[in-house]
């Protein structure tokens, strides 16, 4: 959706009066404050309703999704946030000015849902907007930050995705910190996911505000969208780290618009980029191929590596740079390398280990993360393989002699 289409069609006069304890735009301290909630030491993992369900959500879908995350084994692999996106709330606040769950679709309320999800060992996420309405024109939280954070906390919510629609043209740097303060003082530890679509280069300022920040407009379930977004997110690699991550948007794996190898590449590159791994398909009805991709423990462990450094595109060759090498350092002096074929035919992709920052005289064991095989124990010089159209081969290189990563 074009950003212009999300600008507010309303005037200031229609705003409700602030209900906050402090004026949300008393920003005198914001530059000095931090989120400091102790979360996001590695990128968040879980599920979100938007990519598959859009507004067609209800409490049964959310409960069945929590059930499926557990029964499929995905929860055990770390996918623990069950995140409700837009359209959970009524079109208006109640007479006390409080947000109210839609009585038709969430008749038991969000607290009941949080209890259900918590009983499964999972966490519940919710959605609001740093504007006067959400993108689907439900009430937004601008000027209601404290009241809304308090009600989310009272319901037992663990995660807030905070969107950017109907924002009155106020800069995000002013609209996002008030919710950080409100969450900090809500009495509950709540993950704070900023969704301002990269419009004001959030990587430059959001690490003090949230646990992750969207770097791009919305992903769609296509090869062109996924590759474009990967490139846009790559630019901000050096700003990610434990506590705060670049967010190139949620996974489309399993939604039908890309091939098996394209989804495998999508998952590989998101993992390598230390992107949030938020599943966006209907996990109640996944194919075995979808489950196989999402549950590749070796690829997940790249994403969740404690070193927390975002991997990046390190070299390109071929027409329009379609033959690509992406790589990033991991803990224990290891390196993850992805050979990604974005060309229209099969290609051989090679990389000198020196180009990857490795000592040319050292040797490495090479583990193929999709084949689950250790290919060789003493590779040196170059790494290379033939890669099918749009596929991505992914390896971990571990030093087999000392001082391997310079
Ligand atoms: C925006 C966000 C999406 C989704 C929708 C919901 O487009 O970027 O991720 O939350 O709003 O309306």
């Amino acid at each position: 959706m074009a950003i212009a289409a999300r600008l507010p069609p309303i005037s200031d006069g229609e705003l409700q009066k602030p209900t906050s304890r402090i004026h949300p735009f008393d920003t005198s301290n914001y530059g000095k404050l931090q989120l400091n909630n102790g979360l996001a030491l590695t990128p968040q993992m879980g599920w979100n309703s938007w990519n598959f369900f859009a507004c067609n959500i209800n409490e049964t879908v959310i409960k069945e999704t929590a059930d499926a995350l557990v029964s499929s084994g995905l929860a055990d692999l770390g996918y623990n946030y069950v995140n409700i996106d837009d359209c959970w709330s009524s079109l208006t606040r109640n007479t006390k000015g409080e947000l109210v769950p839609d009585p038709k679709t969430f008749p038991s309320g969000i607290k009941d849902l949080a209890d259900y999800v918590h009983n499964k060992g999972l966490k519940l996420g919710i959605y609001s907007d740093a504007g006067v309405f959400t993108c689907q024109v439900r009430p937004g939280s601008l000027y209601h930050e404290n009241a809304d954070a308090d009600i989310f906390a009272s319901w037992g919510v663990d995660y807030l995705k905070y969107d950017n629609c109907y924002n009155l043209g106020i800069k995000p740097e002013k609209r996002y910190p008030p919710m950080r303060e409100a969450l900090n003082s809500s009495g509950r530890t709540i993950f704070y996911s900023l969704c301002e679509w990269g419009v004001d280069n959030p990587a430059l300022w959001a690490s003090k505000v949230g646990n992750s920040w969207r770097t791009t407009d919305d992903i769609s379930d296509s090869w062109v969208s996924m590759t474009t977004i990967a490139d846009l997110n790559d630019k901000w690699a050096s700003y990610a780290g434990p506590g705060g991550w670049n967010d190139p948007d949620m996974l489309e794996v399993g939604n039908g618009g890309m091939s098996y190898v394209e989804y495998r590449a999508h998952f590989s590159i998101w993992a390598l980029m230390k992107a949030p791994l938020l599943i966006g398909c209907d996990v109640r009805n996944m194919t075995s191929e979808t489950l196989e991709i999402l549950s590749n423990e070796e690829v997940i462990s790249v994403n969740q590596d404690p070193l927390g450094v975002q991997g990046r595109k390190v070299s390109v060759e071929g027409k329009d740079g379609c033959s690509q090498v992406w790589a990033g350092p991991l803990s224990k002096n290891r390196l993850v390398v992805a050979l990604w074929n974005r060309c229209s035919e099969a290609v051989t992709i090679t990389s000198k280990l020196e180009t990857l920052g490795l000592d040319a005289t050292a040797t490495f064991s090479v583990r193929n993360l999709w084949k689950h095989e250790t290919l060789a124990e003493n590779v040196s010089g170059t790494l290379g393989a033939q890669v099918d159209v749009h596929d991505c081969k992914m390896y971990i290189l571990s030093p087999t002699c000392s001082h391997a990563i310079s």
Side-chain angles (χ1 to χ4, degrees), residues 6 50 85-86 127 135-136 161 163 195 197 214 218:
R6 310 193 218 204
W50 185 254
D85 207 280
D86 206 348
Y127 163 100
C135 297
Q136 303 303 317
K161 171 175 171 180
D163 215 338
C195 179
W197 319 314
R214 280 272 299 276
D218 292 6

Side-chain angles (χ1 to χ4, degrees), residues 199-371:
V199 290
D200 231 359
N201 299 338
L204 301 180
W205 52 268
S207 67
K208 286 187 172 172
V209 182
N211 297 116
S212 64
W213 47 88
R214 280 272 299 276
T215 53
T216 72
D217 207 346
D218 292 6
I219 195 169
S220 61
D221 186 17
S222 75
W223 169 256
V224 172
S225 168
M226 185 272 284
T227 52
T228 304
I229 280 183
D231 291 345
L232 291 169
N233 191 63
D234 184 42
K235 176 177 171 187
W236 304 108
S238 60
Y239 296 92
W245 306 100
N246 291 312
D247 177 2
D249 208 359
M250 301 166 295
L251 297 166
E252 291 284 6
V253 177
N255 280 335
M258 288 182 250
S259 68
Y260 171 70
V261 294
E262 289 171 346
Y263 281 139
R264 197 159 68 174
H266 175 23
F267 192 67
S268 300
I269 295 296
W270 259 238
L272 178 145
M273 292 198 299
K274 302 291 189 283
L277 294 182
L278 294 173
I279 298 169
C281 70
D282 182 0
V283 290
R284 303 168 310 169
N285 298 302
M286 282 177 290
T287 64
S288 53
E289 285 192 341
T290 296
L291 180 61
E292 182 218 321
I293 293 173
L294 296 173
S295 55
N296 184 325
E297 278 188 76
E298 298 196 63
V299 176
I300 292 170
S301 76
V302 167
N303 182 258
Q304 297 293 301
D305 185 72
L307 190 63
V309 174
Q310 180 173 331
R312 56 196 315 172
K313 194 188 288 192
V314 292
S315 67
V316 297
E317 283 180 8
K319 186 170 180 289
D320 302 325
C322 65
S323 169
Q324 305 192 344
V325 180
W326 293 59
L330 300 175
S331 59
K332 300 184 193 147
N333 275 345
R334 296 168 308 144
L335 190 83
V336 58
V337 183
L339 306 179
W340 192 11
N341 178 3
R342 288 164 54 166
C343 310
S344 48
E345 58 194 3
V347 288
T348 298
I349 306 178
T350 52
S351 180
K352 285 195 171 148
L353 298 191
E354 250 180 308
T355 314
L356 302 174
L358 301 177
D359 181 341
T361 63
T363 57
F364 299 87
S365 75
V366 177
R367 174 89 180 161
N368 181 322
L369 305 190
W370 285 106
K371 284 208 163 144

Side-chain angles (χ1 to χ4, degrees), residues 145-157:
E145 291 84 357
N146 288 325
D148 292 356
D150 286 351
I151 209 162
F152 296 150
S154 75
W155 289 340
V157 163

